[in-house]
Amino acid sequence: MIANVEARMRGVLSWLAVPQFMEGRFIGLPVSRWLFAVRVWLAIHLALGVAFWIQLDGAESAGVIAAMLALQTRGQVVEKSICCFLGTVVGGVMSIVIVGLFAQTRDLYVLAYSAWLAVCVFAAGFLDGNRAYGAVVCGYTVSIVAVIHIDDPSSLFSEVINRCAAIAIGIASIVLVIDVLAGPDLGPAMLARIEGGLATARTFTENLLRAGPDGGTDAQTVRLMGAASNQHLFLNALPTEAVSGSAQAGAVRAVLAALVGEIRAARAFALAGAWTNRSDGSALDGLIRRRLAGEVEARREAAASAFAAARVGRPVAHAPRMPIYRSRENALRNALRAFLASTLTGYLFTLTGWSMTAFAWAMVGVIVCLSSNAPDPGAMTKGALIGLPAAVVLGGVTQFVLLGGVDAFPLLMLGTAPALLGALLVTSSPNPALTGAGLLTAVYTIVVMQPSNPQSYDAQSYLLLSILLILVALFSFVLVRVLLPTCDAQRRRWVLAAIRRDMDAALGGATRPRSADEDQLLDASRIATLASLKTDDASVRETDLRLALRMGDLARAARRIRRALERMEREDSGAESRMNGFADAVRAALGDADARRMRQLAGTLADASEPARLTLAADMAWAADLIDAPADAHVSGGTR
Amino acid sequence: MSQTFTELVVGGVLISPFVTYAAAALVLFLMLRPVLAWIGFERLFSAPPLALLSLYVVILAFLIVLL
């Protein structure tokens, strides 16, 4: 068993008789959170030290970037770093284009900058995790490079180069520190989570197979599917963490697809036993149940095989991608909100005539971009309303009380430790609201202090910056709530509409460039999104989930039928093939959602000897059952 | 005879030669990744991230010395 560096450190420190430090908790918090805070604090000061050493203009950006890239695991840090760097390069290029074209026309400058923010926010709406962050970086890089220096467009190119250099130094620092200090890896934790998920799903599906609809609830189904779907946030980081990461990520996606398939098949098996609305009686009933039970078994084997491959980092054949649900309507609203917020703020600050308002305008752009990347933009701006004033206070106390005029870099490091370690401990909280507020506090504490070589202690500059940052927090909070707010009821309608469109496309035969496993994962993503939306009426939520599960099941069955028909037509070639007429009749029945006709056609295959035709008959009969299913059909865990 | 380093000039901005070497080393490192995965490089070390970092530094050093 390969020991890692932390285990060796633990061994050394235990020999030094301080085991209580490395295990359990320290001052009430887990040691892992302290280690995270110390790693990031060291990375921030390493970045600042290198930036000061090479006399980089805007050296504080290096420290800010090291703080922005603070994530728990190595893979996530490296992935976010890559997205951040690429976003900075694109943003830098767009800065040059916007300033080059519109520097002499104030109104067009404001509109062009706001439009670029909107484009980036719209693009981020279709990506997930750190990739969405990269799209957002494309936008706010223009804020930081072009807008803050709006009065000096001739220095733009050197600002872009300095910004890219600061980003590179920040990235190198955080990656170096996390590698040398053995930051936790994403892979082992993910495999442990998935192993636990496989065991939980196995118990759940066993109960459904044994006890029917009383063996589980739709809430449990949705929770398991959601847990599988949410792994997409981590999967993108696996290839950046290890050289075998790409193969491991593919194997994990195959596990998740098999897991979701097993859960859906087991739920379908439980429901099939409860529905007695078939005109054909027991022949098709038995066929359906054997088909679904066989699918559960096949999915379990696929999951186990893929998990074994994931453990050793072996690639699997035909590893699915992991499509996620993203709402075009939501992305468009976020983009429009960013455009309006930036435009209104720009004109408002221009009218005030205050100095340094370009900085405030840029920061509003940054906060609005970052909020659009969050699941709940309103909550993120609430975090900014807490984090930015906290950063102002912490920055002021650190600069004028703790440091009080010192100029030596080691003293700067020690002086910032209480504020930054405290903010980073809050960032490492499992509560997402605290994570956002803590990260903004850490980042803006560095912005407020404006570390430089030599360090400046200008109280007037600090006061002006503080007022502007508090205004930025207030503006962002109000603008995000007032301009095109999106409520969960709207999101719920959009998700259900997307599921219905997918079902209609499957019934109508529209081709999609996705495999069956990818369809499973996309459907799980939609269901997980729907389940995460809040509602005042729990019965509405349950009804929506039931409907979504049913439409997803019908879409899946329709696609399976169409794929089977295509396969059979290819195998049974011939102009006068009986299969052609049969296939056309099945497709017509699917397109019309004609359950009676589907059952009649399924009945003609029920006595076939070929397994493929029996499977097709079972799928057709199951699709007919789904079309005719009662509206309240669900697994109920013993309640009706 | 001292080695001469060619500075990178981008739009009139002089960029340190080290940046060129670092970027080239990164490209070579990324090209090596599939080979490292195939030979099971990570299983040879107790701290694979440090080993990969060291490999990158070795590639960088070779480029600076040889080019």
Side-chain angles (χ1 to χ4, degrees), chain A residues 349-390:
Chain A
F349 279 132
T350 308
L351 290 173
T352 61
W354 296 338
S355 60
M356 286 181 69
T357 50
F359 173 82
W361 183 29
M363 287 300 115
V364 167
V366 170
I367 300 287
V368 169
C369 279
L370 288 174
S371 72
S372 68
N373 194 28
D376 184 355
M380 194 273 178
T381 52
K382 195 193 297 184
L385 201 57
I386 299 167
L388 265 61

Side-chain angles (χ1 to χ4, degrees), chain A residues 489-512:
Chain A
Q490 281 172 304
R491 291 194 185 99
R492 182 173 300 107
R493 280 198 300 277
W494 294 335
V495 175
L496 286 173
I499 296 174
R500 185 173 296 280
R501 276 195 303 272
D502 187 57
M503 180 190 71
D504 291 341
L507 289 173
T511 54
R512 297 289 174 95

Side-chain angles (χ1 to χ4, degrees), chain A residues 36 39-40 68-73 76-77 80 130 178:
Chain A
F36 166 79
R39 276 197 299 269
V40 179
M68 285 292 290
L69 299 177
L71 287 171
Q72 295 287 346
T73 61
Q76 289 173 298
V77 167
K80 193 171 183 180
N130 292 324
I178 205 168

